[in-house]
Amino acid sequence: MTTFYRRLPRFDYVQPTSLDEALSLLGRYKADAKPLAGGTDLIPQVKGRDMAAPRVVVDLKAIPGLDAITYDATKGLTLGAMATIANVERSVLVREHYPMLSNALTTMASPQVRNRATVTGNICTAVPSADSAPTLLVLEAVLKLVSQKGERLVPITQFFTGPRQTVLTYDELITEIRIPSPPPKSRGVYLKLSPRKSMDLAVVGVAAFVVRDGETCKDVRIALGAVAPTPIREARAESALLGKKLTDESIEEAASAASSECRPIDDHRAAREYRCDMVYVLTRRALTQIKEEAL
Amino acid sequence: MDYAVIGTRVPRVDAREKVTGTAKYAADYSLPGMLWCKVLRSPVVHAKILNIDTSKAERLPGVKAVITAKDFGGWTWGFMATTRDEPPLAMGKVRYLHEGIAGVAAIDEEVAEAATELIKVDYEELPGVFDPEEAMKPGAPVIHDYRPNNVSVEYHWNYGDVEKAFAESYIVREDRFSTGRVTKGYLEPPASLAYYDPSGSITVWAAKQSPYFHYRHLAACFRLPLSKVRVVQPYIGGGFGGTKNDSVAGDFCAVMASKKTGKPVKFIYSQEEELMTSKRRHAMITYSKMGATKDGLLTAVQAKVIAEGGGYTAIGPLSMYLAGASIAIPYKLANFKYDGYRVFTNNPVCAAMRGHGITHTRFAHDLQMEMIAEELGIDFMEMRLRNAIDNPKPGTVYRTVNDVTLNTCGMKEALTAIKEDPIWAEREHAPKRVGSTSFGVGISGTAYVGGARQLGHQSCAAVIRLCEDGTANLLTGATDCGQGSDTVLCMIAAEELGMKLDDVVIKRVDTAYTPCDPGSYGSRVTLLAGQATQIAAAEVRKQLAEAAAKTWNAKPEEIQIRNSVVSLKSNPDKSMTLENLAKIASYSGSGAVIMGKGYSSYGLEPLDFKTGAGNGGTSYSFTAQATRLGVDLETGHTTVTDFLLAHDCGRPLNPIGAEGQNEGGAVQGLGQAIYEEFIIDQGHTRNSTFLDYKMPRSTDIPDIRIIDIITDDPNGPYGAKEASEGSHVSAPPSVMSAIHDATGIWFKEQPVTPEKIVKALKEAGKWGK
Ligand SMILES: Cc1cc2nc3c(=O)[nH]c(=O)nc-3n(C[C@H](O)[C@H](O)[C@H](O)COP(=O)(O)OP(=O)(O)OC[C@H]3O[C@@H](n4cnc5c(N)ncnc54)[C@H](O)[C@@H]3O)c2cc1C
């Protein structure tokens, strides 16, 4: 960089008042358009010239109903794309049925940023350290993607394709994040490691989710943030525990598997070896916490 | 002592403006017809500049001026006549990444930004050197021709006989310590509005903590008499040394563009621009050899200090002086040798920051003393108490081998206060281990210079104008850059005048009207501007007392003024309001205009950079600090739970202000100890924003308690010494000592990040154990 910009580049700003209108704008401008939710990722990136300036910014905030948070015992939780992190975090429904999601969101940024930012924006930016991603991965969220041509449902496990890359096409929007009801006897935990206690990025994030049948683990889901090009599910660690009891030994085995499988980058935020070590520590802690929580 | 205002807990005089958002900072100023200035910066770290083609930028509609180095006619500036090596914009050569290359002034900031991209610069890249020890080796790329060995500052001092002392020592240790590249982290980046008016005078509204440096730089650069340079002080959003004591590329470009166009020109740096281009603290490597007797008494210290200086010298000669001059305080030491080298590299420029120079060597020596104590089996507190300098008896002076003179020294008293506090006294009863967290308590005992001096202008001044309604205006050239000096100066004026604090109003610095001042650095404002204010106020009070005495047919000594009421000592029934007296004094007879002026006189002792002898300031503060923290032996995370500081600032004149400074200093020291550092790879800073440059936040800081040690130094108003930097110096060694207590490992390199802790625990076979 040779100029430190203080000004945003020029772009057109439109605020559609219906989903159709928004989709038709995206359909028309394609790669030249960018949807805007809270703007806490988009605006700093555009200002810092980290991404090419869009020609048109399509603000989703005036589309009615897009911020709804609803829960139904059979369908589960539905987060409208414009539901802010603060509203999801504080929702009584979320706290009651998905405490791990609420807790994961509380680790993010600051109250001010959470008041503005959306969960959808967090996963659309698709950085490896996105704090909502590991939790959504273990809760097996499904995303509703809509364009003028139609809609499709994409499991979040298939959503991320690389750093800052997803299956979203230019003319598509996420309108909903659907999270199935957690099975009975399930427990989940998200642990985030960052140098500071608040307003910081994850050096490693670990989400663990276990469904038990009696003492044995009948379903195990472990997801990791910040240790691969995308947030990932960690199959080897999961299978290390499946069908077993949660004991110090089985937990140890799963944590070691998670750590040996991960392929983080070595950068100024942390060395690869440290990140792998921390995957071990955090996976063990998360599973131990689950073990110790009463069902 | 019976003070009416001094020592009371009062709100800051600028609290209302700042809290309600009405305080105006440099970036808030604008003038009609104003242009915006933007600096184009170098994308390479070390290169010859072959050509700069500005023609395209000049043709962009809206662009009014483009500035390059040649506009400044080869002018350079620097701390000493022999080190003026820094040009406003890179001149012929680039020495660090993002050095300023050209400035553009345009009708708005967007056009100015766009125009910078149209300037074409041809560079011939040169090999760079980034490590100071590499840069000192023969054959390393040469950064400045006038320093072919890349050493920008070099001192060799020798006191006593270290060789003999080491030979006679019971124990001698050698260790390598290092401190990181850290920044100030103020909220307000550099900004200024500049106007070179048709009469040929410069006026700037600039974010400067020491505006009179800037005033001198502008006069020299634009070849104007000082009387034609006016720096108006807005409110300042933090300083902490370095950048805001200095001038930046944007300052010179904005004034030059104003001169060329006849229009006012404004610039504001982005926070990233500030982080990447402004002056940061030196990173220093200290090779230290320390000897002691069997009883732990220090015999000798030999320190070789290598500082990374970056591309220019800046204030480096003072940094290296301070790093060496403080070696013989706060512990008795008869022999020391200091070899200081400040070395050019192709990294961004390093300069002063809170705790200037002293933080590096005190960190090394305080820690090394503990290591020796550990080897000798001496308690760390006992080790410090045995070596600490005693408080000289009133009227006597303690003199170090290098002629640092102490009139007061509260080191032992401060250490004792910590020793008796439960944090230290009952440390064995506090939990040692909870889950994977191991707790530890550490201490430090350090010194810092206050009322700092440089070579050149030293004195602060104040003028007090009595208003006829019994209120007063205080004018001084000393800047409140956030540290609270306006409040303490008003308190001093109110105390001396017998006036209510609210009735003293201080004006912001304006070099056209306020008396000249060295600047707000080196913890000097309360001491020196404070003394000047005290003298000015006494002069006003004398005139008032004379007027009252005349009215009451009494002697001036019999007049008492307190809380804006005037009375006769012998007959308190005889009284009037200060307003009344002010009217009598101003109106009776031929009338009078009552003013007082004063300038400071402390600190006249000799000072020699070449030998390291003498005082770099008027007096010295002493700080003992205890830290309690927990280290997670699995993740390496350190959570600091408690800081206790016993600080000898002579006497806290403004107790809330002194507490705030002690707390702020200790937290900034904590940042440097375990969180903060620029990570630089081949001259490229990898963590260029506050996202990745980790300053601790409010959620990371411990409970902080402060104990004031009162020593009443004769070289400060009301006994005051410094209170704003000592705690910055005491924090890192205290934190390292506590980490050692928690982990059993000595960490000698700042910052001690979680990753470094895990690495060390693994090496020691203790990870997760
Ligand atoms: C100070 C600060 C601290 C932060 N701390 C954290 C942290 O701790 N953890 C963390 O994970 N992140 C953090 N972030 C990043 C950011 O706040 C989050 O990623 C946030 O969730 C982004 O949401 P948003 O609504 O602001 O997204 P926006 O910036 O509005 O959008 C982000 C991206 O998603 C696209 N997009 C948005 N909505 C849709 C949609 N409905 N359909 C398709 N595309 C869409 C946009 O076009 C854009 O590319 C931080 C950011 C800041 C500024």
Side-chain angles (χ1 to χ4, degrees), chain A residues 4-5 10 200 277 284, chain B residues 38 110 117 634 694 762:
Chain A
F4 289 91
Y5 287 91
R10 301 248 155 190
D200 214 346
D277 288 342
R284 206 185 54 186
Chain B
K38 194 76 194 175
E110 273 139 12
E117 299 280 19
E634 291 179 347
K694 310 286 183 187
K762 280 176 126 180

Side-chain angles (χ1 to χ4, degrees), chain B residues 85-86 95-96 129-133 135-136 143-144 150-153 181 278-285 306-317 319-320 341-352 680:
Chain B
D85 55 25
E86 189 168 1
R95 294 183 171 87
Y96 66 95
V129 61
F130 309 101
D131 176 305
E133 291 181 287
M136 288 169 83
I143 296 172
H144 285 273
N150 286 328
V151 175
S152 88
V153 179
R181 308 169 175 108
S278 292
K279 286 167 181 145
R280 23 175 102 170
R281 189 198 289 299
H282 289 86
M284 293 195 193
I285 302 163
I306 298 171
E308 182 197 313
Y312 294 97
T313 299
I315 202 171
S319 314
M320 299 316 291
Y341 303 87
R342 182 187 184 278
V343 185
F344 288 127
T345 64
N346 294 112
N347 288 330
V349 186
C350 302
I680 310 185

Side-chain angles (χ1 to χ4, degrees), chain B residues 618-638:
Chain B
T618 58
S619 52
Y620 298 81
S621 78
F622 299 90
T623 317
Q625 179 173 345
T627 298
R628 182 172 152 79
L629 52 73
V631 177
D632 185 326
L633 299 181
E634 291 179 347
T635 64
H637 275 236
T638 299

Side-chain angles (χ1 to χ4, degrees), chain B residues 523-545:
Chain B
S523 290
R524 69 195 319 283
V525 180
T526 300
L527 304 193
L528 300 171
Q531 187 198 20
T533 303
Q534 207 180 11
I535 295 169
E539 210 178 290
V540 170
R541 194 196 172 282
K542 182 166 166 272
Q543 296 171 60
L544 284 168

Side-chain angles (χ1 to χ4, degrees), chain A residues 26 33-45 51 60-61 66 81-83 85 107-110 113-114 116-127 129-133 159 168-169 172-175 192 198-202, chain B residues 691:
Chain A
L26 295 180
K34 265 283 177 196
L36 172 75
T40 63
D41 273 323
L42 187 67
I43 300 298
Q45 273 178 51
M51 66 152 73
L60 308 180
K61 282 192 279 292
L66 218 50
M82 292 303 290
I85 292 176
T107 70
M108 286 179 67
S110 60
V113 172
R114 298 201 294 272
R116 190 143 190 99
T118 60
V119 181
T120 305
N122 190 233
I123 59 171
C124 289
T125 300
V127 292
S129 63
D131 273 307
S132 69
F159 181 69
L168 267 175
T169 57
E172 268 178 325
L173 281 177
I174 292 186
T175 55
K192 167 179 179 173
S198 61
M199 188 75 109
D200 214 346
L201 300 185
Chain B
L691 178 68

Side-chain angles (χ1 to χ4, degrees), chain B residues 88-102:
Chain B
L89 291 170
M91 196 164 62
K93 196 175 173 188
V94 169
R95 294 183 171 87
Y96 66 95
L97 187 72
H98 300 320
E99 186 171 356
I101 301 293

